[in-house]
Amino acid sequence: MKKIDVLVTGGAGYIGSHAVVELYNSGYRPIIVDNFSNSSIKNIEGIEQIINNKVVFHEFDCTDEDQMNELFKIESNIEAVIHFAAFKAVEESVREPKKYYCNNIGSLEVLLKTMKRYKVNNIIFSSSCTVYGSPDILPVSELAPFKKAESPYGETKQLCEKLIDKSDINSISLRYFNPVGSHETCLIGDCSADKPNNLVPIICEVASGKRDSMQIFGNDYNTIDGTCVRDYIHVVDLAKAHVAALNHILNSKKIKTAYNIGVGKGVSVQEVVDSFEQINDIKISYKIGPRRAGDVEEIYSDNSKINKELKWFPIMSFGSALKTAWIWEKNK
Ligand code: UD1
């Protein structure tokens, strides 16, 4: 049977590369478009090793209308787009907001225009729990309002969801909580040029000796042990949610919706550090530092909507996420 073509923007990135593997394994034909501005060919090689086959990829810039036109001309059977391509360093977005508006919103605008021109009617968008800001009710459900974004990065996620809502194509926005870990082979992962800002990659750098020590940002929050609480989702579970969303969108006549992608359980920063030490049998040197500006005290997902509607459930353990994150760091 002929495979369904799915365009994956940012398919060489951390989450994109994991999604490409799951799409391929589920019988789709993923077509990667990436300009490698913040990813690496290493992930393409890793994908090919995992699937034991070649993967289709085009080195194009999603903000360039001419290039996107050319891409849709070459790949004329695309039925859906999964849009990962975006910048994601929260702190950088505060320093260089324009870079984030131009790239993250600009690429979506070009994509929506090109999809319309080539009559591609389905989009799955990489969103983030950052759209909720600091939620009033926990666990946070998709019904919670968008609060004032904590950063320009967050603003771009909110604006992109709104742009997609206004368009007349079918859409599913997936609001990721905190993705962690790597594929079991540890052949793909985060290759971005950004200095890591996220907790687990920083812990890995301390473990490897790239950093001497790290800080836990604040231990005076109103949480179980005073440190911030997040919902850490294994990147392979997250990747599989894209397959579930794709199956659903292709079987729906008209759809516009959003789903939380999280485990539904809060874990504190202190618990992450302690679990990493225990699982990987390695000591992490850390100090308690001041709170980080813009941090939300506690956020974790209500994932019942996607459980019920798409029969998606997280199955990977937090321990395996911490193990594979560490092996990926050593393999990099
Ligand atoms: C942030 C963004 C989120 C984005 C995600 C992916 C906000 C509010 N959230 O999530 O929208 O999708 O990054 O890039 O901007 N921590 C330490 N020490 C460190 C690093 C982190 O204690 O050296 C703590 C943080 O204070 C936080 C937790 O670890 O409480 C997780 O931080 P991080 O991995 O950066 O993710 P978020 O801030 O939750």
Side-chain angles (χ1 to χ4, degrees):
M1 212 169 72
K2 200 180 163 316
K3 292 184 170 192
I4 294 177
D5 285 6
V6 182
L7 182 67
V8 185
T9 77
Y14 172 44
I15 305 170
S17 58
H18 284 85
V20 165
V21 168
E22 297 307 324
L23 289 166
Y24 179 86
N25 287 341
S26 305
Y28 287 102
R29 178 174 176 263
I31 299 162
I32 297 173
V33 56
D34 206 299
N35 66 354
F36 298 105
S37 67
N38 199 21
S39 56
S40 162
I41 196 80
K42 192 173 185 278
N43 270 346
I44 303 279
E45 292 160 4
I47 292 170
E48 292 184 337
Q49 264 179 277
I50 294 169
I51 65 173
N52 196 22
N53 208 340
K54 286 276 165 207
V55 70
V56 188
F57 82 91
H58 299 273
E59 190 170 346
F60 283 137
D61 182 341
C62 295
T63 61
D64 186 315
E65 218 174 316
D66 292 339
Q67 291 188 21
M68 290 308 273
N69 264 318
E70 200 183 326
L71 173 68
F72 277 72
K73 251 188 238 156
I74 303 169
E75 299 290 354
S76 55
N77 291 312
I78 295 168
E79 291 198 22
V81 177
I82 307 185
H83 184 44
F84 292 101
F87 291 144
K88 64 176 171 67
V90 176
E91 195 205 356
E92 182 189 53
S93 81
V94 177
R95 279 184 282 114
E96 293 182 64
K98 212 166 156 212
K99 179 173 167 185
Y100 279 70
Y101 299 134
C102 291
N103 187 62
N104 294 8
I105 298 168
S107 64
L108 178 69
E109 281 173 337
V110 169
L111 194 59
L112 290 175
K113 214 165 149 185
T114 319
M115 287 174 70
K116 198 165 181 179
R117 187 171 301 132
Y118 289 87
K119 300 194 169 43
V120 177
N121 281 318
N122 303 298
I123 188 165
I124 293 167
F125 175 64
S126 280
S127 189
S128 161
C129 67
T130 194
V131 297
Y132 300 121
S134 193
D136 294 328
I137 302 170
L138 287 174
V140 63
S141 90
E142 293 84 352
L143 298 172
F146 284 9
K147 291 254 204 91
K148 192 183 163 336
E150 306 281 348
S151 65
Y153 162 81
E155 265 178 79
T156 67
K157 291 294 172 192
Q158 292 182 336
L159 276 166
C160 286
E161 279 208 32
K162 287 181 189 158
L163 269 177
I164 290 173
D165 273 348
K166 273 202 240 137
S167 75
D168 49 15
I169 59 175
N170 291 331
S171 69
I172 299 181
S173 289
L174 298 180
R175 296 176 183 158
Y176 311 155
F177 281 69
N178 291 55
V180 279
S182 178
H183 186 265
E184 58 178 351
T185 59
C186 300
L187 289 167
I188 50 177
D190 195 347
C191 295
S192 52
D194 305 331
K195 226 169 145 280
N197 291 299
N198 293 115
L199 178 61
V200 172
I202 287 174
I203 295 176
C204 287
E205 288 201 348
V206 177
S208 73
K210 258 190 212 159
R211 292 178 193 235
D212 294 337
S213 175
M214 60 172 288
Q215 289 186 7
I216 288 183
F217 297 137
N219 68 348
D220 56 353
Y221 286 100
N222 187 21
T223 59
I224 48 160
D225 55 22
T227 65
C228 289
V229 168
R230 297 285 182 275
D231 182 336
Y232 295 91
I233 173 83
H234 196 300
V235 68
V236 171
D237 277 332
L238 173 59
K240 287 184 176 160
H242 293 79
V243 177
L246 181 64
N247 294 340
H248 187 57
I249 209 168
L250 293 174
N251 284 317
S252 309
K253 283 224 166 62
K254 232 176 173 30
I255 180 169
K256 267 208 189 293
T257 195
Y259 293 110
N260 284 341
I261 314 291
V263 172
K265 183 175 167 274
V267 177
S268 76
V269 176
Q270 185 71 59
E271 286 171 328
V272 176
V273 175
D274 294 347
S275 305
F276 187 95
E277 288 187 326
Q278 205 199 345
I279 295 265
N280 293 312
D281 194 20
I282 203 161
K283 200 94 204 98
I284 298 299
S285 162
Y286 68 88
K287 284 199 179 74
I288 304 294
R291 291 180 174 199
R292 183 173 71 176
D295 260 341
V296 167
E297 180 169 271
E298 184 163 19
I299 186 165
Y300 53 93
S301 65
D302 173 348
N303 62 12
S304 56
K305 184 176 171 194
I306 188 164
N307 296 162
K308 209 162 107 211
E309 295 183 8
L310 305 193
K311 307 281 173 286
W312 173 90
F313 297 88
I315 55 171
M316 307 291 288
S317 70
F318 185 47
S320 78
L322 296 180
K323 234 186 206 146
T324 50
W326 173 222
I327 300 172
W328 164 253
E329 173 69 29
K330 288 188 284 186
N331 288 353
K332 265 202 304 199

